[in-house]
């Protein structure tokens, strides 16, 4: 379950980037938290996308369906 969430986080983060700049402009290597330095609304937008994705997944009995995603360290 956790691995699927991490994959979705990266997928949505790259979709976010590709909607804003050409693929040739994206750095070859970067930490995912660096995105918010260039695009201040990143965290809000990615959380919105992930919440929408999570709401469409079928619930599995006995497994927590709420997941916390953070692109920046939590206090």
């Amino acid at each position: 379950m956790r691995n699927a969430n991490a994959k979705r986080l990266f997928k949505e983060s790259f979709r976010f980037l590709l909607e804003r700049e050409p693929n040739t402009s994206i750095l070859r290597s970067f930490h995912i938290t660096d995105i918010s330095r260039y695009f201040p609304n990143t965290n809000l937008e990615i959380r919105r996308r992930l919440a929408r994705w999570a709401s469409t997944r079928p619930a599995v009995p006995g497994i927590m369906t709420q997941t916390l995603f953070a692109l920046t360290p939590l206090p």
Side-chain angles (χ1 to χ4, degrees), residues 20-64:
R20 285 155 180 77
E21 55 183 52
N23 63 349
T24 55
S25 296
I26 298 173
L27 299 171
R28 286 183 71 116
S29 174
F30 61 92
H31 193 279
I32 195 166
T33 59
D34 292 339
I35 299 170
S36 62
R37 282 194 351 216
Y38 299 99
F39 302 100
N41 66 332
T42 302
N43 292 351
L44 180 62
E45 176 62 21
I46 298 299
R47 284 186 178 135
R48 183 186 65 77
R49 292 173 187 221
L50 293 173
R52 184 174 58 221
W53 171 74
S55 71
T56 63
R57 299 182 75 209
V60 177
I63 295 179
M64 184 169 59

Side-chain angles (χ1 to χ4, degrees), residues 3-22:
N3 192 24
N5 292 340
K7 285 181 183 179
R8 193 60 185 196
L9 171 62
F10 285 105
K11 186 174 185 173
E12 290 303 332
S13 296
F14 273 95
R15 279 188 180 169
F16 177 86
L17 284 173
L18 290 169
E19 290 169 0
R20 285 155 180 77
E21 55 183 52

